[in-house]
Amino acid sequence: MKTYLVTGGAGFIGANFVHYMFKKYDNIKLINLDKLTYAGNLENLKAVENDSRYTFVQGDICDKSLVEKLFKDYDIDYVVNFAAESHVDRSIREPEVFVNTNVLGTVTLLNAAKNAWQTDDGFKEGKKYLQVSTDEVYGSLGETGYFTETTPLDPHSPYSSSKAGADLVVKAYFDTYKMPINITRCSNNYGPYQFPEKLIPLIINNCLNKKPLPVYGDGLNIRDWLYVEDHCKAIDMVINKGRLGEVYNVGGHNERTNIHIVKTVIKYINENVDDSVTEDLIKYVEDRKGHDRRYGIDPTKIREELGWEPETMYEEGIVKTIKWYLNNKDWMERVTSGEYKKYYNKMYENK
Ligand code: NAD
Ligand code: TYD
C-alpha cells in the first residue's frame, strides 16, 4: 500500500486529484496537508472526509517542524505538491506570499522528504517527490510554436517566476542529491471546484448574477485549456512511470482566445438558463500588466513515453463544467462571500 502526502488538496486541482485517486485505487493512504487559504475549501472534499484511507492536516508547507513530523508519523512514499498561491492577478498585487509559499514551501517539503528518504547509499526504493508546475514558467509564445520540456524558462509574472524558482530547486535536488523527483508542467485547467477568481468560473458566476464580464485587453490572449481530470491522470502516470529527474509537459492542444471562452459561456447560459444573458455583458477592461499573449503545450513526451492522452475534449468538458457550477450555485455563493468578496470588489471597482 502506498502513502501519498498531497499538499494543497483542498484547492481546485488538489481536490480533483484526491477524488480521482480514491476512485482509481482502493489500497492507498492519502494525507492532505493544506493551509486552507481563501482558495482552500474542505467542502470540496466532503465526500471523502470520513474515508478511512484519508487524513486531513491543516497546516503550512513552510512549517518545517510540522512537515518533518508528518514524515515521522507516516511512511510517506510519494509527495505531490499542489500547494501554491496560484492567481496571477493577485501575484501582481502581493508578490511576497507567492515567493514564500511557492519557493520556500517547496524547499521545506523537499528537505523533509530528503531527510526521511535518504540512506547511506542513495534513496529508499519506491519514493518520489512530484512538483506540480505550470506552462507559465516558459513565458509567452508568438503566433506559432509550442512549449517543449527544453524551452528555456522565461517567466514574467511574480506567480510564474515563483513557480519557475521552485522548479529549479526541485531540479537541483535531483542534480545534487539524486533525489527521486519529477516535475509536471500543465496548461490551464478547467472543471469543478475552481475558485471564481479564474476566468471560466468567474465568467459563469458573473453571467448568473448579470454582472459585467471583464475581458482583459483585446480578449485575444490564448490559453491551452485542459479538463482537470486529464491533468490528474497525467500526474498519476508520472508518479508511477515517469523517468526520475524528468520534466513532463501536459496539455491537449486546445488553444482558445479568452473572448472565445467568454462567448461560449454566454451562449450556453443564454440558450439553457436565462436568455437575458447576452454579449452586452462583456466589458473590455484595462489589460493585465505583463500579460502573456499565448501558451501552447507540446505534449509529445508524455504521450510517447507514458501513453498519456486527454480523454475529455473541450466541447464536452466546457458543458460539463458549466453544468457543475449551475448545479452548485450554493458552493459558488459561499466561496464568493466573505474575504473573497472584499478582494473581488477591490480588484474590479475601477474597471
Ligand atoms: P488553488 O489556488 O485552487 O489551490 C491552492 C491550494 O493550496 C489551496 O487549497 C490552498 O489552501 C493551498 N495552499 C496555499 N498556500 C499554502 C501553504 N502555504 N501551505 C499549504 N497549503 C497551501 O490552486 P490550483 O489551481 O488548484 O493549482 C494547484 C497547483 O497546480 C499549483 O501549484 C499551480 O501552480 C498548479 N497549476 C495550476 C494550473 C491551473 O490552471 N489552475 C495549471 C497548471 C499548474
Ligand atoms: P486566469 O484564469 O487568471 O489564468 P492564467 O492567467 O493563469 O492563464 O486567466 C486566463 C486568461 O483570462 C488570462 O489571459 C487572463 C484572462 N482573464 C480575463 O480576461 N478576465 C478575467 O476576469 C480573468 C480572471 C482573466
Side-chain angles (χ1 to χ4, degrees):
M1 183 169 78
K2 292 289 188 183
T3 300
Y4 293 73
L5 174 62
V6 170
T7 69
F12 163 48
I13 307 174
N16 278 285
F17 181 74
V18 171
H19 292 302
Y20 178 88
M21 294 300 281
F22 282 144
K23 233 183 277 164
K24 179 153 183 203
Y25 300 103
D26 284 332
N27 200 22
I28 58 169
K29 237 178 129 46
L30 194 153
I31 300 135
N32 173 19
L33 171 63
D34 195 301
K35 187 177 174 184
L36 298 182
T37 67
Y38 74 97
N41 184 355
L42 286 182
E43 212 183 313
N44 301 350
L45 295 163
K46 202 124 199 80
V48 302
E49 69 185 9
N50 296 319
D51 194 311
S52 58
R53 298 168 294 175
Y54 175 72
T55 306
F56 175 69
V57 179
Q58 181 169 5
D60 192 327
I61 58 166
C62 301
D63 182 342
K64 186 168 177 248
S65 55
L66 171 64
V67 174
E68 283 175 351
K69 184 172 178 323
L70 289 176
F71 277 92
K72 286 212 177 76
D73 290 352
Y74 301 96
D75 182 13
I76 292 166
D77 297 298
Y78 302 130
V79 176
V80 190
N81 183 25
F82 292 97
E85 290 291 339
S86 68
H87 188 206
V88 174
D89 294 320
R90 183 180 285 261
S91 82
I92 294 167
R93 287 169 173 250
E94 300 159 27
E96 290 94 335
V97 65
F98 283 72
V99 174
N100 270 326
T101 286
N102 299 1
V103 183
L104 298 179
T106 296
V107 183
T108 305
L109 287 170
L110 281 167
N111 226 30
K114 175 169 99 55
N115 291 340
W117 294 345
Q118 213 165 18
T119 61
D120 289 343
D121 51 358
F123 280 81
K124 291 179 186 165
E125 272 297 303
K127 306 290 184 186
K128 188 179 275 188
Y129 176 100
L130 186 136
Q131 178 73 1
V132 181
S133 188
T134 163
D135 60 355
E136 302 194 25
V137 298
Y138 296 121
S140 184
L141 290 166
E143 281 177 17
T144 58
Y146 296 100
F147 298 134
T148 71
E149 289 78 1
T150 55
T151 301
L153 302 191
D154 183 23
H156 299 125
S157 71
Y159 164 64
S160 54
S161 61
S162 66
K163 292 294 291 184
D167 283 12
L168 293 178
V169 183
V170 175
K171 181 179 176 296
Y173 270 63
F174 178 76
D175 293 344
T176 308
Y177 310 112
K178 298 284 170 281
M179 176 148 157
I181 62 98
N182 279 125
I183 298 171
T184 54
R185 294 189 180 135
C186 189
S187 60
N188 284 60
N189 285 210
Y190 68 101
Y193 306 118
Q194 187 167 32
F195 197 80
E197 64 190 350
K198 306 282 167 48
L199 182 69
I200 291 179
L202 184 142
I203 294 299
I204 297 170
N205 188 36
N206 285 18
C207 277
L208 295 178
N209 291 298
K210 305 244 188 65
K211 284 207 215 151
L213 309 176
V215 173
Y216 300 167
D218 61 7
L220 297 179
N221 299 66
I222 290 174
R223 297 292 181 266
D224 185 357
W225 295 93
L226 184 72
Y227 192 64
V228 62
E229 261 186 23
D230 282 322
H231 185 191
C232 297
K233 173 178 154 187
I235 291 170
D236 179 38
M237 288 177 112
V238 173
I239 292 169
N240 285 305
K241 299 196 282 184
R243 280 188 298 131
L244 296 183
E246 293 294 313
V247 174
Y248 292 90
N249 283 355
V250 185
H253 279 305
N254 179 48
E255 292 183 35
R256 309 277 163 165
T257 61
N258 294 338
I259 193 65
H260 170 87
I261 298 277
V262 171
K263 288 184 176 172
T264 306
V265 173
I266 296 171
K267 185 165 183 288
Y268 184 89
I269 297 200
N270 175 282
E271 288 172 1
N272 296 282
V273 183
D274 179 351
D275 64 8
S276 72
V277 171
T278 67
E279 292 184 7
D280 289 349
L281 282 178
I282 292 173
K283 186 173 177 203
Y284 286 91
V285 296
E286 187 190 325
D287 207 355
R288 174 185 279 172
K289 288 184 176 65
H291 197 175
D292 288 336
R293 192 65 174 167
R294 176 177 161 243
Y295 302 145
I297 282 278
D298 176 350
T300 307
K301 179 172 171 180
I302 191 165
R303 192 181 59 231
E304 290 188 351
E305 276 190 20
L306 308 185
W308 177 85
E309 292 278 0
E311 285 175 22
T312 302
M313 295 301 108
Y314 173 76
E315 287 69 21
E316 178 196 347
I318 192 73
V319 170
K320 241 163 105 167
T321 300
I322 299 171
K323 282 187 176 161
W324 188 87
Y325 289 96
L326 291 174
N327 291 332
N328 290 277
K329 283 188 193 149
D330 49 342
W331 178 92
M332 187 71 104
E333 240 157 64
R334 277 195 288 278
V335 302
T336 53
S337 59
E339 274 312 297
Y340 171 72
K341 192 162 202 156
K342 277 190 247 157
Y343 168 72
Y344 179 89
N345 288 343
K346 202 168 102 197
M347 217 145 109
Y348 292 107
E349 66 197 357
N350 298 321
K351 289 184 177 166

